[in-house]
């Protein structure tokens, strides 16, 4: 089983407007609310693919109750750790005229020591084939919280900043920063060199999201660049989570890296076409799977 962990769960609220104008008053065409946080989104994608997946997340207050109810409606197998604080909300504003996406993330409630311990114990009891740790650590969580969770497991780590650097001590199988997150934690502009820094610090492989240019993977087995057959427009907020879902699925099946990357790029595009983070256009995914180009490249070009 693949298990996703979301310490900083959210209720995602998505507004679609005609266009987003600074200082303007906007009337939403559509409003959608669903349980979110990056690990929850990853679990949704895996569930849509028919994978054996479970989600571990936090929930508190009335917003946490809404998260729990929505997860039940969605049919996701979820274990929720009750916390005293109110679960955060994230707000996405999608402009219909140009496809631009504006995202506002609340910081999340403070986790107490016992609440973090309860979350960690849930993870240890599951003994997953692949563990996915995604998103920000909430206030109150230990900075090396992800390292604690992933030590001794086959894990995919998708976070940024200090949480990413501290998480490397747990020796994750894969970390998945985007290009800006990678530059931020290493100070290097060359993504291959920067990925090498993360690997020396503990990551066994680094997969870098390059936006519309695809994915760069730096691994023990080689360096690959995977590119989509076409550039898509839509809601990009769940594209990275779809990549993480593909990485976890590939690791659980022990697939070779080129196959993992083809699925990751195809799923990422399918997520851009989905209306909400965690949704994927399965028809596009199956079409694109055979069209993604994967080429080996030297570590220095």
């Amino acid at each position: 089983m693949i298990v996703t962990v979301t310490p900083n769960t959210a209720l995602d609220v998505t507004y679609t407007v005609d266009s987003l104008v600074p200082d303007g008053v906007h009337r939403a065409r559509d409003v959608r609310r669903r349980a979110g946080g990056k690990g929850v989104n990853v679990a949704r994608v895996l569930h849509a693919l028919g994978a054996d997946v479970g989600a571990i997340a936090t929930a508190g207050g009335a917003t946490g109750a809404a998260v729990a109810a929505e997860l039940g409606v969605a049919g996701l197998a979820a274990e929720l750790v009750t916390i005293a604080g109110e679960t955060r909300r994230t707000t996405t504003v999608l402009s219909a005229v140009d496809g631009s996406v504006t995202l506002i993330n609340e910081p999340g409630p403070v986790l107490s020591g016992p609440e973090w311990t309860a979350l960690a114990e849930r993870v240890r009891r599951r003994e997953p084939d692949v563990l996915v740790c995604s998103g920000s650590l909430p206030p109150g969580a230990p900075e090396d919280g992800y390292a604690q969770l992933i030590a001794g497991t086959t894990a995919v780590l998708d976070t940024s900043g200090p949480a990413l650097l501290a998480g490397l001590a747990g020796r994750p199988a894969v970390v998945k920063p985007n290009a800006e997150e990678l530059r931020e934690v290493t100070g290097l502009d060359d993504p291959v060199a920067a990925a090498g820094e993360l690997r020396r610090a503990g990551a066994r492989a680094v997969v870098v999201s390059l936006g519309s240019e695809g994915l760069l993977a730096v691994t023990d087995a080689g360096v690959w660049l995977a590119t989509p057959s076409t550039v898509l427009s839509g809601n990009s907020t769940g594209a990275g989570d779809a990549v993480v879902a593909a990485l976890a699925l590939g690791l659980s099946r022990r697939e070779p890296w080129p196959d993992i990357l083809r699925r990751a790029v195809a799923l990422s595009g399918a997520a851009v076409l989905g209306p909400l983070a965690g949704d994927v256009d399965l028809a596009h995914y199956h079409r694109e799977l055979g069209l993604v180009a994967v080429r080996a490249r030297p570590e220095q070009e």
Side-chain angles (χ1 to χ4, degrees):
M1 170 179 272
I2 299 170
V3 173
T4 73
V5 183
T6 312
N8 209 5
T9 316
L11 182 68
D12 290 344
V13 183
T14 301
Y15 297 98
T16 302
V17 299
D18 291 330
S19 63
L20 186 61
V21 180
D23 298 323
V25 176
H26 301 81
R27 185 178 298 276
R29 287 186 182 183
D30 183 60
V31 182
R32 302 190 189 189
R33 298 174 178 86
R34 73 187 325 181
K38 295 178 72 63
V40 171
N41 295 338
V42 172
R44 286 186 192 277
V45 175
L46 289 167
H47 180 69
L49 294 177
D52 185 15
V53 61
I56 298 174
T58 56
T63 308
V67 164
E70 199 281 327
L71 287 171
V73 170
L76 289 176
E79 290 186 62
L80 298 179
V81 175
T82 301
I83 59 175
E86 185 81 18
T87 295
R88 68 187 178 122
R89 291 174 178 247
T90 66
T91 302
T92 300
V93 182
L94 178 63
S95 171
V97 69
D98 59 6
S100 65
V101 178
T102 301
L103 184 62
I104 301 171
N105 288 329
E106 295 180 5
V110 176
L111 253 63
S112 68
E115 288 168 348
W116 175 263
T117 298
L119 180 72
E121 287 177 350
R122 295 284 183 96
V123 174
R124 281 192 287 269
R125 285 204 300 265
R126 295 301 293 271
E127 297 183 350
D129 299 315
V130 178
L131 179 68
V132 175
C133 292
S134 289
S136 60
L137 286 170
E143 190 171 272
D144 67 343
Y146 280 140
Q148 296 177 19
L149 296 181
I150 67 182
T153 71
T154 299
V156 182
L157 176 61
D158 181 21
T159 189
S160 60
L164 170 57
L165 290 176
L168 298 174
R171 297 193 59 79
V174 189
V175 296
K176 192 217 68 64
N178 62 36
E180 181 55 36
E181 290 165 346
L182 184 61
R183 188 180 302 113
E184 177 190 351
V185 296
T186 65
L188 299 175
D189 291 328
D190 177 10
V192 176
E197 291 292 313
L198 297 193
R199 294 188 65 223
R200 281 186 285 275
R204 281 172 273 169
V206 180
V207 175
V208 187
S209 295
L210 303 175
S212 62
E213 296 179 16
L215 298 172
L216 173 72
V218 182
T219 79
D220 282 336
V223 178
W224 286 276
L225 182 65
T227 54
S229 67
T230 186
V231 176
L232 301 171
S233 61
N235 184 357
S236 62
T237 55
D241 300 327
V243 170
V244 172
L247 297 176
L249 189 60
L251 288 175
S252 72
R253 295 176 175 176
R254 302 181 183 275
E255 293 175 339
W257 274 106
D259 290 349
I260 294 174
L261 295 171
R262 286 188 187 93
R263 179 181 290 111
V265 171
L267 266 183
S268 178
V272 170
L273 296 178
L276 300 174
D279 290 336
V280 286
D281 183 323
L282 291 178
H284 173 84
Y285 163 66
H286 290 297
R287 287 194 306 269
E288 181 70 1
L289 197 55
L291 301 176
V292 175
V294 180
R295 67 178 180 90
R297 51 163 286 181
E299 295 198 17
Q300 300 294 333
E301 285 193 339

